[in-house]
Amino acid sequence: MKAEFTSHISVYFIAVVVLIFTFTLPAPQPVGADVGSYFFPQVLLITILVLNTLSVVRVIYNKVAFSKQVDSFKITKKNIIRVSLLVGLLGAYIILMPIIGYEITTGLFLILMMLMFGIRDYKILILIPIGVVGILYIVFDTLLSIPLP
Amino acid sequence: METLISIFDFQLLFMVFAGVFVGIVFGAIPGLSATMAIALFIPITFVMSPVVGISFLLGIYCGGMYGGAIPAILIGTPGTPGAAATLLDGYPMGRTGQGGRALKYATVGSFIGGIFSSIILIFLAPQIASFGLRFGAPEYFALGVFGLSIVASISGENVLKGLIVAAFGIVIATVGMDPVLGSPRFSFGEANLMSGISFIPALIGLFAISQVLVDSEQQNETLANNEIHYRKQRVPLKEMFSKWIEFLRSSVIGTVIGIIPGSGAGISTFLAYNESRRFSKTPEKYGKGHAEGVIATETSNNATTGGALVPLLTLGIPGDSVTAVIFGGLLIHGLTPGPDLFVENIDTVNQMFGTLIIANIFMLILGMFFIKYLVKVASVPKSILIPIIVVFCFVGSFSITNNIFDVWIALIFGVLGYVMVKFKYPLPPLILGMILGPIIEANFRRMMIQADEGILIVFSRPISLVFIVITILTLLYPLVSSIVKNRKRKLNN
């Protein structure tokens, strides 16, 4: 239930903030019967606020009517930490790619991520990154002429 | 005749085969999907010709829909949502040592269903497309709004959350240039946002990276354990032919359901299973390892592929979440789905129809003769597969415009998708909103400028009025049925 209300409050917050932006950002004058640049997003954001309110009412009704329903969101501290670490690793990968070089960064990233997922066999930790980077280079750069980052 | 000859080009055939192979592998690994595979491989098709690129994606589509049957039958876990119904009889067959037979039925059923729906697509699509050529701004606006009503079908239990997500998707699509005035909107002075949020990286993030984040929550032991065992078995041809009614009935059901936007394999497979049991002389055998149960589900599963392509290609309305992703693939090759596609690119469309048939043939060949090797590939532990998938996600996102900003878009949408999954907000409506938003807004504003009566013109033209009425009914039905269901549950409690 807490997770459900957290999500609805977040939706309210995002919709209101973006709606305020639509009234403050500069926009050209509409031509003729045109409604203007921000009319459409404003209508949508107000619709989101209305739908969100209906959803909150539905949640409260279900809580009152079916109070024995189990909260099945499965959001645990352990999961949040693990996923946050992974997102941090992905962010670092993107930042370091143009600095260290794509091939080295990708190799290091693959090793770290496999270690994070419990792979301890050193043969896999060495061969997979070499194989993947090699295949990417041959397939993308050489065969398909798609430049790597 | 020239079109027919051109589809037997070696490069084209090779890419269709590769697509089917990739699709089967992705469909066979629980947690991956045809949707993810298509999103991941769209950037690779960028350097190919439109026909070759789209054919590759269609191969993935066909293979992916079939691949989900492999783990459903052999380990009791559906590889794709469409294979959930295959579990009912497929897994009991697998448990009693009949897994090989079940897979043979699944393969033949998928082939027959796929071919049937492809033939229907070939004959029906041009008729619907020529009807669509009569559309003006009011009809396109109403069609876009009707397309949003699909949200009601693909949102699962919570239609309100689906509509919220779709609306956010449309708002995201407004980032970039105003379609009428040509001025920047929501770009905040950032040059990379002037042309809007890149669709393909957003797609990759939402369907591939978010799934990676969800999978990463599993224990390391679970990620390492992905082994599937398979034993080859034969099914006599006479026995296979004796089930022809089952194949035909399920093909029809799958194709018809596939044509209805928003329905998809999740609905068609259970409907086909129910009908099969209803018409059976031995309904008590269903659920205990009955071959007809597997035939019904897998035939209808792949029969939705051709059906779902009908609204996508003819009207530009994705039939399900997979075709929503294929929409992106078509755009990247300069092919805008809709009635004009059949006027400006009729040769390409005809070639696509031909390659769809070929993809089903390759799927039959792979399923009948190489399933042992496919099972081995699908048994690669996720702890090795997931990091490789992430690398491909980032390469794919970068390759669209050679801009590292798109890789950040993929990551941001990946995190967004993960948060949405955790808080039970459906993902497909976001993509649907991003696809339909520009259609709805541009035609709405064009309508307001051109027509004296403004938005009321939608109600005065018959085609647009029909779309609006169907939209209202489609949106109201799940809400009303949900209220009735809750009332019944309350009474039972």
Side-chain angles (χ1 to χ4, degrees):
Chain A
M1 199 48 63
K2 192 174 156 190
E4 192 76 79
F5 279 121
T6 305
S7 68
H8 284 90
I9 290 167
S10 304
V11 170
Y12 274 130
F13 177 74
I14 293 167
V16 166
V17 164
V18 179
L19 190 60
I20 290 170
F21 268 127
T22 65
F23 287 108
T24 58
L25 287 169
Q29 276 293 106
V31 176
D34 183 32
V35 293
S37 282
Y38 289 104
F39 173 80
F40 202 66
Q42 284 163 352
V43 167
L44 285 166
L45 290 161
I46 292 168
T47 306
I48 288 169
L49 291 170
V50 169
L51 289 170
N52 202 39
T53 306
L54 287 173
S55 185
V56 168
V57 167
R58 182 180 174 276
V59 167
I60 294 171
Y61 171 75
N62 282 344
K63 159 104 177 124
V64 167
F66 315 112
S67 54
K68 286 181 185 167
Q69 271 186 347
V70 173
D71 187 351
S72 60
F73 282 86
K74 296 180 194 165
I75 300 170
T76 64
K77 197 173 171 186
K78 188 183 166 192
N79 284 346
I80 292 173
I81 292 171
R82 191 168 160 93
V83 171
S84 301
L85 275 172
L86 182 54
V87 172
L89 183 61
L90 295 175
Y93 176 38
I94 301 172
I95 291 168
L96 289 173
M97 255 196 268
I99 300 171
I100 300 177
Y102 177 73
E103 289 81 5
I104 296 171
T105 322
T106 301
L108 282 171
F109 167 77
L110 283 168
I111 292 170
L112 284 171
M113 208 167 158
M114 284 193 287
L115 280 169
M116 192 176 158
F117 287 152
I119 299 283
R120 295 291 180 264
D121 185 340
Y122 74 92
K123 280 190 279 238
I124 294 175
L125 288 171
I126 293 170
L127 290 173
I128 294 285
I130 292 173
V132 168
V133 172
I135 288 170
L136 281 173
Y137 184 77
I138 292 167
V139 172
F140 279 80
D141 203 63
T142 309
L143 287 175
L144 299 177
S145 301
I146 298 175
L148 295 172
Chain B
M1 192 62 185
E2 254 180 56
T3 309
L4 194 63
I5 294 167
S6 67
I7 62 174
F8 290 102
D9 172 66
F10 175 74
Q11 188 196 16
L12 181 61
L13 290 176
F14 177 77
M15 290 314 296
V16 174
F17 182 84
V20 174
F21 177 82
V22 165
I24 293 176
V25 170
F26 269 75
I29 300 174
L32 306 187
S33 64
T35 312
M36 187 197 211
I38 293 171
L40 211 54
F41 284 93
I42 280 175
I44 293 176
T45 69
F46 195 48
V47 294
M48 302 173 192
S49 69
V51 173
V52 173
I54 299 301
S55 301
F56 177 61
L57 298 178
L58 290 177
I60 296 176
Y61 187 23
C62 289
M65 296 298 275
Y66 159 68
I70 297 171
I73 290 167
L74 298 180
I75 60 172
T77 306
T80 55
T86 306
L87 258 178
L88 299 170
D89 275 289
Y91 186 48
M93 285 183 80
R95 262 205 325 257
T96 53
Q98 300 290 306
R101 285 184 71 239
L103 275 174
K104 286 280 190 299
Y105 281 120
T107 304
V108 173
S110 296
F111 168 72
I112 292 172
I115 291 289
F116 182 89
S117 67
S118 299
I119 293 170
I120 298 293
L121 169 70
I122 290 168
F123 286 106
L124 192 61
Q127 313 309 319
I128 296 177
S130 65
F131 171 71
L133 283 170
R134 289 188 247 166
F135 288 7
E139 283 77 20
Y140 276 113
F141 167 73
L143 181 65
V145 174
F146 166 65
L148 279 184
S149 72
I150 296 166
V151 167
S153 308
I154 61 174
S155 296
E157 283 186 7
N158 199 327
V159 174
L160 284 170
K161 280 188 169 178
L163 289 170
I164 291 169
V165 169
F168 265 122
I170 301 175
V171 172
I172 289 171
T174 61
V175 174
M177 300 298 272
D178 182 310
V180 174
L181 299 170
S183 55
R185 195 166 48 172
F186 291 124
S187 61
F188 304 103
E190 170 63 52
N192 287 309
L193 288 176
M194 291 285 201
S195 49
I197 304 276
S198 294
F199 183 69
I200 302 299
L203 207 64
I204 290 171
L206 209 58
F207 286 107
I209 294 181
S210 67
Q211 187 59 48
V212 162
L213 295 176
V214 168
D215 281 344
S216 71
E217 287 181 348
Q218 292 173 20
Q219 296 294 323
N220 285 344
E221 295 78 24
T222 312
L223 291 172
N225 184 15
N226 201 29
E227 212 171 330
I228 306 174
H229 297 285
Y230 165 76
R231 191 165 62 92
K232 189 174 175 179
Q233 287 169 322
R234 288 176 154 250
V235 174
L237 267 175
K238 196 175 167 187
E239 189 182 325
M240 197 67 82
F241 278 127
S242 69
K243 320 269 185 214
W244 69 272
I245 291 182
E246 212 58 61
F247 287 117
L248 182 62
R249 184 194 309 122
S250 304
S251 296
V252 171
I253 291 173
T255 305
V256 170
I257 299 295
I259 290 173
I260 302 169
S263 307
I267 295 173
S268 73
T269 50
F270 281 101
L271 187 64
Y273 184 81
N274 278 340
E275 291 306 300
S276 173
R277 191 166 52 179
R278 201 156 68 87
F279 281 97
S280 172
K281 290 180 185 137
T282 53
E284 70 283 356
K285 287 187 181 176
Y286 281 75
K288 295 170 188 163
H290 196 43
E292 274 80 345
V294 175
I295 291 170
T297 55
E298 280 304 305
T299 306
S300 63
N301 186 26
N302 269 69
T304 57
T305 55
L309 286 169
V310 170
L312 173 69
L313 295 176
T314 60
L315 300 174
I317 303 294
D320 57 14
S321 49
V322 186
T323 46
V325 180
I326 292 176
F327 184 100
L330 287 162
L331 283 185
I332 209 174
H333 288 285
L335 302 169
T336 307
D340 290 335
L341 186 68
F342 287 74
V343 174
E344 292 159 14
N345 302 100
I346 186 63
D347 288 338
T348 306
V349 172
N350 287 336
Q351 284 171 313
M352 277 163 49
F353 289 161
T355 54
L356 197 57
I357 303 263
I358 291 172
N360 279 289
I361 295 170
F362 282 147
M363 183 188 63
L364 178 72
I365 293 169
L366 281 168
M368 293 300 270
F369 304 111
F370 298 99
I371 193 85
K372 185 171 73 171
Y373 306 105
L374 289 167
V375 167
K376 271 200 171 43
V377 175
S379 298
V380 172
K382 273 193 192 173
S383 46
I384 295 174
L385 211 54
I386 288 174
I388 297 172
I389 286 171
V390 171
V391 168
F392 271 89
C393 284
F394 285 171
V395 168
S397 303
F398 177 81
S399 66
I400 305 296
T401 53
N402 295 342
N403 190 342
I404 205 79
F405 185 78
D406 286 340
V407 184
W408 283 111
I409 292 289
L411 179 59
I412 289 166
F413 271 79
V415 173
L416 173 66
Y418 169 76
V419 170
M420 284 169 64
V421 167
K422 295 310 291 183
F423 286 101
K424 298 189 190 300
Y425 283 84
L427 298 183
L430 191 75
I431 288 300
L432 208 62
M434 289 176 73
I435 290 171
L436 296 174
I439 297 172
I440 295 172
E441 185 189 8
N443 285 288
F444 171 76
R445 290 172 71 178
R446 208 168 287 142
M447 196 170 66
M448 295 300 282
I449 293 169
Q450 290 169 356
D452 294 329
E453 57 266 61
I455 195 166
L456 294 174
I457 193 173
V458 162
F459 301 102
S460 62
R461 287 161 76 117
I463 298 173
S464 52
L465 178 63
V466 166
F467 278 131
I468 295 295
V469 168
I470 297 174
T471 302
I472 293 169
L473 290 172
T474 313
L475 284 173
L476 282 177
Y477 175 75
L479 281 167
V480 168
S481 109
S482 166
I483 290 169
V484 167
K485 231 192 291 182
N486 282 341
R487 281 230 171 104
K488 277 190 187 156
R489 219 188 320 173
K490 191 182 169 185
L491 282 169
N492 289 337
N493 281 351

